[in-house]
Coordinates of all heavy atoms in Angstrom, one line a residue:
T9 N -6.3 -7.6 -13.9 CA -7.4 -8.7 -14.3 C -7.7 -9.7 -13.2 O -8.4 -10.6 -13.3 CB -6.8 -9.5 -15.5 OG1 -5.5 -10.0 -15.1 CG2 -6.6 -8.6 -16.6
A10 N -7.0 -9.5 -12.0 CA -7.3 -10.3 -10.9 C -6.6 -9.7 -9.7 O -5.6 -9.0 -9.6 CB -6.6 -11.8 -11.1
E26 N -4.3 -0.7 24.7 CA -4.4 0.1 25.9 C -3.7 -0.6 27.0 O -3.3 0.1 28.0 CB -6.0 0.1 26.3 CG -6.8 1.0 25.4 CD -8.2 1.0 25.9 OE1 -8.6 0.4 26.8 OE2 -9.0 1.8 25.1
S55 N 8.0 -11.0 5.3 CA 7.1 -10.5 4.4 C 6.8 -11.4 3.2 O 5.6 -11.4 2.7 CB 7.4 -9.1 3.7 OG 7.5 -8.2 4.8
L72 N -5.1 -19.7 -12.4 CA -3.9 -19.3 -13.3 C -2.6 -20.3 -13.0 O -2.4 -20.5 -11.8 CB -3.5 -17.9 -13.1 CG -2.3 -17.4 -13.8 CD1 -2.5 -17.3 -15.4 CD2 -1.9 -16.0 -13.3
E76 N 2.9 -19.4 -16.1 CA 2.5 -18.5 -17.2 C 3.1 -17.1 -16.8 O 3.0 -16.1 -17.6 CB 1.1 -18.4 -17.5 CG 0.5 -19.6 -18.1 CD -0.9 -19.4 -18.4 OE1 -1.5 -18.2 -18.8 OE2 -1.7 -20.4 -18.3
V82 N 7.8 -7.5 -6.1 CA 7.3 -7.5 -4.7 C 7.5 -6.0 -4.2 O 8.8 -5.6 -3.9 CB 7.9 -8.5 -3.7 CG1 7.5 -8.3 -2.3 CG2 7.6 -9.9 -4.2
K137 N 2.1 -11.3 -18.5 CA 1.6 -11.5 -17.2 C 2.6 -10.9 -16.1 O 3.6 -11.6 -16.0 CB 1.2 -12.9 -17.0 CG 0.0 -13.4 -17.7 CD -0.4 -14.7 -17.4 CE -1.8 -15.2 -18.0 NZ -2.1 -14.7 -19.4
D151 N 8.2 -0.5 17.5 CA 8.5 -0.5 18.8 C 7.2 -0.5 19.6 O 6.4 0.6 19.6 CB 9.3 0.8 19.2 CG 9.6 1.0 20.8 OD1 9.2 0.1 21.5 OD2 10.2 1.9 21.0
F179 N -4.5 1.1 -17.3 CA -3.7 2.2 -16.8 C -3.8 3.3 -17.9 O -3.5 3.2 -19.0 CB -2.3 1.6 -16.8 CG -1.3 2.6 -15.9 CD1 -1.0 2.2 -14.7 CD2 -0.9 3.8 -16.3 CE1 -0.2 2.9 -13.9 CE2 0.0 4.5 -15.6 CZ 0.3 4.0 -14.3
D181 N -2.9 7.1 -16.8 CA -2.0 8.2 -16.5 C -1.4 8.1 -15.0 O -1.9 7.5 -14.3 CB -2.7 9.5 -16.8 CG -1.8 10.8 -16.9 OD1 -0.6 10.5 -17.1 OD2 -2.3 11.9 -16.9
D187 N 10.6 13.6 -2.7 CA 11.3 14.8 -2.1 C 12.1 14.2 -0.9 O 11.6 13.9 0.1 CB 10.3 15.9 -1.7 CG 11.1 17.1 -1.0 OD1 12.3 17.0 -1.0 OD2 10.3 18.0 -0.6
K195 N 11.4 7.5 9.3 CA 12.4 6.7 8.8 C 12.8 5.5 9.9 O 12.3 5.6 11.1 CB 13.7 7.5 8.8 CG 14.2 8.2 10.1 CD 15.3 9.1 9.8 CE 15.5 10.0 11.0 NZ 16.6 11.0 10.9
F230 N -1.6 17.7 1.8 CA -1.2 18.6 0.7 C -0.9 18.0 -0.6 O -1.5 18.2 -1.8 CB -0.2 19.6 1.1 CG 0.2 20.6 0.0 CD1 -0.5 21.7 -0.2 CD2 1.3 20.3 -0.8 CE1 -0.2 22.6 -1.2 CE2 1.6 21.1 -1.9 CZ 0.8 22.2 -2.0
N231 N -0.1 17.0 -0.6 CA 0.5 16.5 -1.8 C -0.4 15.5 -2.5 O -0.5 15.5 -3.8 CB 1.9 15.8 -1.6 CG 3.0 16.8 -1.3 OD1 3.2 17.6 -2.2 ND2 3.7 16.7 -0.2
M232 N -1.1 14.6 -1.6 CA -2.1 13.7 -2.3 C -3.3 14.5 -3.0 O -3.6 14.2 -4.1 CB -2.7 12.8 -1.3 CG -1.6 11.7 -1.0 SD -2.0 10.7 0.6 CE -3.4 9.7 0.2
V254 N -9.0 5.4 -4.5 CA -8.3 4.2 -3.8 C -7.0 4.8 -3.2 O -6.0 4.9 -3.8 CB -7.9 3.2 -4.9 CG1 -7.4 1.9 -4.1 CG2 -9.0 2.9 -5.9
H256 N -4.1 5.4 -0.2 CA -3.3 4.7 0.9 C -4.0 5.0 2.2 O -4.4 6.1 2.6 CB -1.9 5.3 0.8 CG -1.0 4.8 1.9 ND1 -0.8 3.4 2.1 CD2 -0.3 5.5 2.9 CE1 0.0 3.4 3.2 NE2 0.3 4.5 3.7
I281 N -9.3 1.0 6.7 CA -8.3 1.3 7.6 C -8.8 0.8 9.0 O -7.8 0.4 9.8 CB -7.9 2.7 7.6 CG1 -6.7 2.9 8.5 CG2 -9.1 3.7 8.1 CD1 -5.9 4.3 8.4
L296 N -8.6 -2.9 -3.1 CA -9.2 -3.6 -4.4 C -9.8 -5.0 -4.1 O -10.9 -5.2 -4.5 CB -8.2 -3.7 -5.4 CG -7.5 -2.6 -6.0 CD1 -6.4 -2.8 -7.1 CD2 -8.7 -1.6 -6.6
L325 N -6.8 4.9 -13.6 CA -6.9 3.6 -14.3 C -8.3 3.3 -14.3 O -9.2 3.6 -13.5 CB -6.2 2.6 -13.3 CG -6.2 1.1 -13.6 CD1 -5.0 0.4 -13.2 CD2 -7.4 0.4 -12.8
A328 N -11.3 -3.2 -15.5 CA -11.3 -4.0 -16.8 C -12.2 -5.2 -16.8 O -12.4 -5.9 -17.7 CB -9.9 -4.4 -17.2

Side-chain angles (χ1 to χ4, degrees):
T9 58
E26 284 176 8
S55 295
L72 177 69
E76 286 183 39
V82 174
K137 288 186 172 38
D151 175 2
F179 201 105
D181 198 10
D187 178 359
K195 62 183 171 183
F230 175 81
N231 287 304
M232 283 163 73
V254 192
H256 173 55
I281 190 167
L296 295 180
L325 175 145

